[in-house]
């Protein structure tokens, strides 16, 4: 246990461990992203999201961090050049805020889950910038994960959607 994340002034919306389990990254509704050093129990550095966008989802692949939140854009930044790095890339834009983000296991794609009026899952190819939209959810996407070459998502109503190489399957939780 590392204790409370006291350096955030408002609610923490997303956390994750770095690949080496030495750091914890947290993001809050004010757009503050903090990298916590777990061994020394101190902050390594903090950054603000573009335009202090409230951050709702983060994911990390190697040294690349993606964030999604209250705007319709997904941003990516390399953590190698901390702490003076800019958010160097917009992965893509949606028609509503981005609630969840996740890298594919090989780091070539990003999946996003929408909220508000756009409950879509979008699969973004990072090299070509092409995307595939999955329009199965009828409420806010509460979580999504990659499992091999599949994206598994669930919404607030309990609908589970599995996308695998363009094929879509759905089922209600409890079935």
């Amino acid at each position: 246990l590392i204790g409370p994340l006291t350096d955030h002034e408002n609610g923490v919306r997303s956390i994750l461990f770095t690949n080496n389990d030495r750091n914890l990254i947290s993001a809050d509704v004010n757009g503050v992203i903090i990298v916590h050093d777990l061994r020394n129990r101190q902050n390594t550095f903090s950054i603000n999201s573009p335009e202090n966008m409230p951050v709702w989802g983060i994911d990390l692949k190697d040294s690349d961090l993606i964030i999604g939140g209250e705007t319709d854009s997904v941003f990516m930044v390399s953590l190698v050049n901390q702490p003076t790095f800019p958010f160097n890339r917009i992965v893509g834009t949606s028609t509503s805020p981005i609630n969840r983000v996740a890298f594919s296991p090989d780091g070539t794609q990003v999946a996003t889950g929408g909220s508000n009026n756009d409950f879509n899952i979008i699969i973004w190819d990072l090299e070509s910038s092409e995307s595939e939209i999955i329009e199965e959810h009828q409420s806010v996407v509460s979580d999504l994960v990659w499992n091999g070459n599949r994206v598994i998502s669930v919404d607030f109503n309990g609908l589970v959607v599995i996308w695998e190489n363009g094929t879509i399957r759905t089922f209600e939780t409890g079935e």
Side-chain angles (χ1 to χ4, degrees):
L1 180 67
I2 65 168
L5 301 177
T6 58
D7 293 321
H8 287 283
E9 293 179 9
N10 285 297
V12 173
R13 185 75 189 250
S14 192
I15 60 171
L16 60 84
F17 284 103
T18 57
N19 299 339
N20 62 11
D21 290 336
R22 292 183 58 190
N23 297 299
L24 177 76
I25 301 173
S26 58
D28 70 24
V29 296
N30 281 350
V32 177
I33 301 163
I34 301 175
V35 178
H36 309 269
D37 182 326
L38 297 177
R39 290 187 180 166
N40 298 323
R41 295 183 179 222
Q42 62 186 9
N43 293 340
T44 304
F45 62 92
S46 65
I47 58 172
N48 291 325
S49 64
E51 300 177 9
N52 295 323
M53 169 190 78
V55 177
W56 294 349
I58 59 175
D59 197 17
L60 183 71
K61 180 68 176 173
D62 300 323
S63 63
D64 291 327
L65 179 72
I66 55 170
I67 67 167
E70 198 167 273
T71 70
D72 59 359
S73 297
V74 178
F75 297 94
M76 185 165 68
V77 65
S78 173
L79 296 181
V80 173
N81 301 322
Q82 40 87 3
T84 59
F85 52 86
F87 278 86
N88 58 354
R89 182 170 178 195
I90 295 179
V91 174
T93 58
S94 177
T95 58
S96 77
I98 306 294
N99 200 42
R100 291 289 179 252
V101 294
F103 273 107
S104 63
D106 65 4
T108 63
Q109 295 175 301
V110 169
T112 63
S115 63
N116 291 356
N117 297 325
D118 175 354
F119 308 124
N120 297 335
I121 300 296
I122 303 176
I123 310 295
W124 308 91
D125 184 289
L126 293 177
E127 188 172 312
S128 70
S129 297
E130 293 179 6
S131 63
E132 180 176 345
I133 299 173
I134 302 162
E135 298 177 324
E136 299 295 322
H137 288 292
Q138 301 300 312
S139 68
V140 172
V141 176
S142 55
D143 207 359
L144 60 81
V145 295
W146 282 88
N147 182 323
N149 61 352
R150 291 182 293 262
V151 174
I152 303 166
S153 58
V154 63
D155 65 26
F156 283 169
N157 291 335
L159 178 67
V160 175
V161 175
I162 301 173
W163 172 90
E164 185 172 8
N165 297 324
T167 301
I168 299 170
R169 293 181 290 148
T170 63
F171 63 93
E172 297 286 333
T173 54
E175 283 185 8

